[in-house]
Amino acid sequence: MNRAALEQAGVEITDGAVLRDVTTFRLGGPCRACLSCRTPGQAVQAISALRAAGEPFVVIGSGSNLLVADAGLDAFAVRYVSPIPQIERDGVRLRVSGSTELDALAAYGVQQELAGLEFLSGIPGTVGGAIAGNAGAFGRSVAEGLAGVRLVDPAGREQEVPAADLRFAYRSSRLQESGEIVLSAVFDLRFGPRPELAAERERILALRRERHPDWRSTPTAGSFFRNIEPTSAAGPRQAAGWFLEQAGAKAMRVGGARVFEKHANIIVADPGCTAADVAALSREMTEAVRRRFGFDLVPEVRFLGSP
Ligand SMILES: Cc1cc2nc3c(=O)[nH]c(=O)nc-3n(C[C@H](O)[C@H](O)[C@H](O)COP(=O)(O)OP(=O)(O)OC[C@H]3O[C@@H](n4cnc5c(N)ncnc54)[C@H](O)[C@@H]3O)c2cc1C
C-alpha cells in the first residue's frame, strides 16, 4: 500500500485504530489500520490501494449500525464519513457524497425548500450506510427519493447505477451482498415550503428525543432487531419492540448490556460493557420471543467479527 500517496490525497491513516472509537455502541477492538476518507476520490484511492496490496478490508460509515467484536478485526477499516456535507444542487435534484451525514442532508433539504428528506432527521448514519441497509423511519425509506448511485465495486470499477437496480427491500439492498460501495447518490426531490418542512423536522427530532436514547451520551446502535415481515408467524403485528416487550425484554440485562427502558428493541451499553455482553443479551432476547411466540427475530445491527 502506497501510504505516502494516500496521505497526500488527504486520507488519514491511523495504525491499530480501535473500532470502539468510531462506532455509536462504543464497542469493538482494534483493526490493522483505519483509513479515514471524506471524498469519493479519497475512498476510491484507499480501496484501490488496499486491493492492489491484497489487504483485507471493511468499509464503515458512522458506525451507527454495527456491533464490532471485542477482539477487533484482522483487517483494515475504510471509514467514509465527512463532517462537512458534500451536496451539489441542480434544481430539485441533489448529488450527495456517500460520506455525508443523514441529519445534515435532512437539514439541507429544509433550508433549500426541498421536500422528501425530513424523515432522515436525527438518524446518526451516513448516506452510504443508509443506502446499503435501506434505512428508514416513520414508514419511509431512503430508497424512495433515490434516483441512482455511483458505486465502486470490490475490483475497483466505478459505475453509475439506477436505484431500480439496487434490489431494495425492507432494510436491505444488493450492496449488502455485493460489497459495492456508495461513493455518491442522486436524490430527486420536490419543492416544499420551508416552514412546513422545518416543522416536520422538529416534530421528528422531538419524537426521537422522547423515544430513543441520545447516542452521543448513551452508547447504542438504535433498533437491534428488524421488524417482522407480515408473512411470518407473527400475524399482522410487525414491530419487533412489541414482541420483545410482551416477552419481558425490558427487564433483561447481561453484564453491561441492557434493554433501554423506553424501547424493548434497543440495547444500550453501560460502562464496562463488552460486545460479547451485547451479543449474549441479544441471544436471550431472541430466545424469549421464540419461547413466547414461536419465531426468531433477525438482527438489524450488522456484526463485524464474532462478538
Ligand atoms: C440512536 C439511533 C437511532 C437510529 N435510528 C434509525 C432509524 O430510525 N432507521 C434506521 O433505518 N436506522 C436507524 N439507526 C441505525 C443506523 O443509524 C442506520 O442504519 C444508518 O443508516 C447506518 O449508517 P452508518 O453510516 O452508520 O453505517 P455503518 O453502521 O458504519 O455500517 C453499516 C453497514 O453499511 C455498510 N456501509 C457503510 N457505508 C457504506 C457505503 N458508503 N457504501 C456501502 N456500504 C456502506 C457497512 O459496510 C455496514 O455493513 C439508528 C441508530 C442509532 C444509534
Side-chain angles (χ1 to χ4, degrees):
M1 189 172 72
N2 187 339
R3 203 181 164 111
L6 287 176
E7 285 176 337
Q8 204 173 4
V11 176
E12 277 172 42
I13 305 177
T14 312
D15 292 308
V18 179
L19 290 163
R20 87 171 61 88
D21 295 339
V22 289
T23 64
T24 58
F25 244 143
R26 297 205 209 115
L27 297 171
C31 59
R32 287 198 206 167
C34 181
L35 278 56
S36 293
C37 309
R38 295 180 178 199
T39 65
Q42 290 171 352
V44 169
Q45 260 191 274
I47 289 160
S48 306
L50 289 166
R51 197 178 50 88
E55 301 286 7
F57 65 92
V58 295
V59 173
I60 65 171
S62 301
S64 63
N65 204 29
L66 295 179
L67 180 63
V68 183
D70 298 311
L73 298 177
D74 187 15
F76 288 79
V78 175
R79 183 167 181 257
Y80 187 36
V81 181
S82 173
I84 301 163
Q86 295 174 31
I87 308 173
E88 289 164 23
R89 178 173 180 176
D90 179 8
V92 291
R93 184 163 260 222
L94 297 182
R95 183 174 282 274
V96 188
S97 76
S99 57
T100 294
E101 290 169 325
L102 294 170
D103 188 60
L105 176 61
Y108 180 89
V110 173
Q111 186 230 334
Q112 297 283 314
E113 303 207 296
L114 292 171
L117 299 167
E118 311 81 74
F119 72 100
L120 296 172
S121 297
I123 303 182
T126 59
V127 166
I131 291 172
N134 194 14
F138 307 105
R140 306 276 319 276
S141 68
V142 77
E144 285 168 36
L146 190 70
V149 289
R150 185 166 185 81
L151 301 176
V152 59
D153 72 14
R157 283 182 299 257
E158 288 180 55
Q159 57 174 335
E160 297 280 340
V161 177
D165 290 356
L166 294 180
R167 293 202 302 275
F168 282 119
Y170 169 68
R171 296 293 180 272
S172 79
S173 78
R174 84 174 198 199
L175 307 180
Q176 288 168 329
E177 269 79 53
S178 68
E180 293 160 307
I181 290 138
V182 178
L183 297 172
S184 62
V186 174
F187 290 92
D188 270 338
L189 304 167
R190 56 185 192 285
F191 172 78
R194 189 176 301 141
E196 270 177 35
L197 302 183
E200 178 62 357
R201 175 166 159 80
E202 274 319 307
R203 186 183 73 82
I204 288 170
L205 289 173
L207 279 174
R208 286 188 171 276
R209 276 195 295 272
E210 193 186 306
R211 294 180 191 167
H212 291 174
D214 180 353
W215 56 275
R216 294 170 198 85
S217 50
T218 306
T220 180
S223 293
F224 199 90
F225 296 100
R226 300 157 67 102
N227 286 329
I228 319 300
E229 308 284 344
T231 50
S232 79
R237 288 236 173 228
Q238 289 184 31
W242 185 85
F243 294 99
L244 283 160
E245 183 151 5
Q246 298 302 307
K250 276 192 176 167
M252 291 182 182
R253 162 187 280 280
V254 173
R258 70 179 160 83
V259 177
F260 184 53
E261 60 277 9
K262 291 188 197 166
H263 198 316
N265 191 18
I266 293 181
I267 296 178
V268 296
D270 285 338
C273 183
T274 62
D277 290 342
V278 172
L281 175 57
S282 74
R283 283 193 295 274
E284 284 194 9
M285 293 161 79
T286 308
E287 273 159 31
V289 168
R290 188 189 306 132
R291 271 198 307 275
R292 176 90 193 265
F293 296 104
F295 65 87
D296 283 337
L297 292 173
V298 176
E300 178 173 322
V301 169
R302 316 271 300 175
F303 290 31
L304 287 185
S306 311

